[in-house]
Amino acid sequence: MSSKITIHDVARVSGVSIKTVSRVLNREPNVKGDTRDRVQAAVAALRYRPNISARSLAGSKAYLIGVFFDNPSPGYITDVQLGAIARCREEGYHLIVEPLDSTADNVEEQVAPMLATLRMDGVILTAPVCDHPVVLAALEREQVPYVRISPGGDLDRSARVGMDDRLAAYEMTKHLIGLGHRDIGFIIGHPDHGASHLRHRGFMDAMADSGLTVRPGRVEQGYFSFRSGFEAAERLLSGEDRPTAIFASNDDMALGVMAVANRLRLNVPETLSVAGFDDTPGAKVVWPQLSTVRQPIAAMAGAAADMLLTGVSWEEGEKPPFKLLDFELVVRESTGPAAA
């Protein structure tokens, strides 16, 4: 039925012009409240669905928001998409998700065709793409608005959304210390992600503030993937002198730690406590369930989309818009008191 309904039908039923219907559908200002209600009621009664291509041809907007990413964690990217899609749908926009290989030499060749062929109204950038100078320069050259999620540097360059990664890691480390752990291992996230360094700093600060020294060999490099967490855990747990807890910078790496613990028959949390970061779906399906930091990934993506949809701008001399979202410490069964 909806495919046969046109904007002319909506105009006829609501008793207004086609132009007025278009203004209501495009959420333009200066439409009287009762007129807007009448049009929206007609749209609902007729089950009218505007054609996004026709809308973009009729105006300056494409009704497309992009997400550029290069992140090995599927749970993270899924949450980013869900958060951005939910906000875009509210405004009648579509979301385009584009992977980039930010380590390749041809980043310009990856980005330029997308910007040339897809007339996007804005782009959401996740780490590490959000800090890539070639990507940022290309967007600015094409005058495409963008919002960055958790950038690591050049913070006054654009609008951004984030959380306090350092404080979140600090509090998780304090949780482990409060359970009696004094010898704690840490797995750093991907070195190209700004959040990785902030989480590592939070861990180190919490240890120092508690009068504890991080022992040599207790900090390992990871890359936010299950495999890198597995390999880091093998190094941390290879000898008899093992840490009593390991804090990994994301859940995927923490699950890798738990896999190694299971292979070595180290009971979690009786022999080894394990903590992660993000609270992705895997944290709740593994057993024991993973203690982690609940990062508001979907909410951050939704906030970034909202900035683009409502218009990102700031006056010269002002700082770009920034929205800081709250995190939550989620304590589950994977962390417990240190063994005596």
Side-chain angles (χ1 to χ4, degrees), residues 83-84 87 124 147 149 160-162 297-310 323 325:
R87 184 65 186 93
I124 298 169
V147 176
I149 297 179
R160 57 190 173 96
V161 178
I297 302 170
M300 288 194 293
D306 183 68
M307 284 184 176
L308 292 171
L309 294 170
T310 56
K323 187 165 186 179
L325 277 70

Side-chain angles (χ1 to χ4, degrees), residues 263-329:
R263 183 172 64 80
L264 296 176
R265 299 188 178 183
L266 301 175
N267 293 328
V268 176
E270 292 82 6
T271 305
L272 178 72
S273 284
V274 181
F277 204 111
D278 284 342
D279 199 26
T280 54
K284 295 181 279 291
V285 299
V286 70
W287 185 257
Q289 291 188 332
L290 183 65
S291 292
T292 185
V293 174
R294 179 173 293 157
Q295 181 177 196
I297 302 170
M300 288 194 293
D306 183 68
M307 284 184 176
L308 292 171
L309 294 170
T310 56
V312 181
S313 63
W314 60 95
E315 298 295 330
E316 186 176 350
E318 293 182 347
K319 289 186 178 296
F322 169 50
K323 187 165 186 179
L324 182 68
L325 277 70
D326 292 331
F327 63 87
E328 180 183 353
L329 210 65

Side-chain angles (χ1 to χ4, degrees), residues 108-296:
E108 175 74 34
E109 286 75 13
Q110 295 178 60
V111 176
M114 286 190 289
L115 298 181
T117 58
L118 299 173
R119 192 161 56 91
M120 290 175 285
D121 297 303
V123 173
I124 298 169
L125 301 175
T126 66
V129 177
C130 64
D131 287 308
H132 201 293
V134 173
V135 176
L136 301 184
L139 289 166
E140 291 164 359
R141 184 172 59 251
E142 297 298 326
Q143 298 184 324
V144 178
Y146 63 88
V147 176
R148 297 187 290 166
I149 297 179
S150 300
D154 208 359
L155 301 183
D156 292 338
R157 184 167 181 169
S158 72
R160 57 190 173 96
V161 178
M163 56 162 281
D164 194 333
D165 287 274
R166 191 208 70 86
L167 180 60
Y170 185 97
E171 291 192 2
M172 178 57 80
T173 306
K174 279 288 195 178
H175 164 67
L176 294 171
I177 294 170
L179 291 171
H181 295 281
R182 299 294 179 266
D183 186 3
I184 304 173
F186 185 80
I187 304 177
I188 306 175
H190 197 295
D192 291 341
H193 292 233
S196 298
H197 308 289
L198 293 172
R199 294 172 192 178
H200 180 216
R201 188 192 308 166
F203 166 73
M204 298 298 290
D205 288 349
M207 293 289 284
D209 289 351
S210 300
L212 300 175
T213 301
V214 179
R215 295 179 55 185
R218 288 304 195 235
V219 176
E220 290 286 346
Q221 182 65 60
Y223 294 91
F224 282 146
S225 65
F226 176 91
R227 171 54 59 184
S228 69
F230 188 96
E231 293 172 350
E234 284 189 316
R235 295 189 292 271
L236 288 166
L237 301 173
S238 60
E240 293 297 323
D241 182 25
R242 305 183 181 106
T244 62
I246 295 177
F247 178 16
S249 292
N250 81 336
D251 291 345
D252 288 357
M253 295 193 299
L255 296 180
V257 174
M258 294 181 75
V260 172
N262 182 60
R263 183 172 64 80
L264 296 176
R265 299 188 178 183
L266 301 175
N267 293 328
V268 176
E270 292 82 6
T271 305
L272 178 72
S273 284
V274 181
F277 204 111
D278 284 342
D279 199 26
T280 54
K284 295 181 279 291
V285 299
V286 70
W287 185 257
Q289 291 188 332
L290 183 65
S291 292
T292 185
V293 174
R294 179 173 293 157
Q295 181 177 196

